Amino acid sequence: VAFNILALSNIFGTFFGTILGVVLSWIFSVLGSFTMFFLVRKILGGRFRNKIKNSPKVIKFMNVLDKLTYSQLVLITSIPFSPSFFINLGAGLSTVNYKKYFFALLIGKFAEMIFLGYVGVSLLECLTEPLALIKVAVIMVIGYMISIVVNKKFNLDERFE
């Protein structure tokens, strides 16, 4: 289900234009990511934890996710070319708070969808065009600054622990 929702989110920008496409992509991307997080946490979490408890690389990755602040989690979810599958999987297997992850997805995925909908460049174009890289950096910095302001205003790091 989560994979289909994520796939649908990328189609909306093409059919509905920049503004409505970004909003619909954002909604479905957050729904897809959180659905995967939730399914991994509730259904697969126990099975995977038992199988991977002897894998030091996976345990290290999950420990890193557990220690992330709210703003850092927003930054990771806002990177346009980050592997969302692995971030959702790792967060689902870790002990990241549901609300913390959901609110991080709201801000992070919005920055990502603005980039994908507005800038709309592929990874290869991004590597050959410096302006595209600058746009990615600016969007990520804005998302990170918003997360810092929200975190200070609502004290999310302590609230979600």
Side-chain angles (χ1 to χ4, degrees), residues 18-91:
T18 303
I19 295 173
L20 184 59
V22 165
V23 170
L24 289 173
S25 294
W26 170 60
I27 291 168
F28 283 99
S29 183
V30 169
L31 285 175
S33 293
F34 194 74
T35 301
M36 183 177 171
F37 167 82
F38 183 79
L39 290 175
V40 167
R41 173 74 52 97
K42 287 297 181 187
I43 296 172
L44 303 175
R47 292 181 196 156
F48 276 157
R49 280 191 203 101
N50 291 335
K51 289 183 181 183
I52 62 171
K53 63 183 172 186
N54 296 327
S55 173
K57 289 182 181 181
V58 176
I59 291 171
K60 183 178 178 182
F61 178 66
M62 289 179 6
N63 287 338
V64 167
L65 282 174
D66 287 339
K67 294 177 185 176
L68 290 176
T69 65
Y70 175 73
S71 297
Q72 292 169 335
L73 197 55
V74 168
L75 187 62
I76 287 175
T77 59
S78 71
I79 299 171
F81 304 113
S82 65
S84 295
F85 172 79
F86 291 115
I87 294 170
N88 297 328
L89 179 68

Side-chain angles (χ1 to χ4, degrees), residues 70 107 145-156:
Y70 175 73
I107 295 174
M145 290 173 21
I146 290 171
S147 72
I148 289 173
V149 170
V150 169
N151 191 16
K152 284 183 181 178
K153 182 167 178 88
F154 297 108
N155 203 15
L156 297 177

